[in-house]
Amino acid sequence: MEIKILGTGCSNCKTLFANVQQAAAELKLNATITKEENMVKIMAYNVMQLPALVIDEIVVAKGKLSFDEVKKLLQNYSI
């Protein structure tokens, strides 16, 4: 599983990255987690709200997410 956090480095982006790391660890997912801060690459995903969560090249969420929301999304996409 490949997970990307799209964002410019704001506090919400950093929080989402940390929440994804923690949720993936708790769920024992075999995942590569990266941050994408390059606006040209972010624009290729056609998102208008940041941060955004991308799983296996599919944008699954945009905007601020709680830890529980992140964990639920990762559980659903890891099946």
Side-chain angles (χ1 to χ4, degrees), residues 6 36-48 50:
L6 308 180
E36 183 57 67
E37 296 181 353
N38 181 308
M39 282 306 291
V40 173
K41 291 181 181 179
I42 290 171
M43 288 171 47
Y45 287 93
N46 199 28
V47 293
M48 299 301 289
L50 297 175

Side-chain angles (χ1 to χ4, degrees), residues 2-6 17 20 31-36 52 54:
E2 183 181 352
I3 303 169
K4 292 182 186 175
I5 311 307
L6 308 180
F17 184 76
V20 167
T32 303
I33 304 168
T34 57
K35 288 192 290 187
E36 183 57 67
V54 178

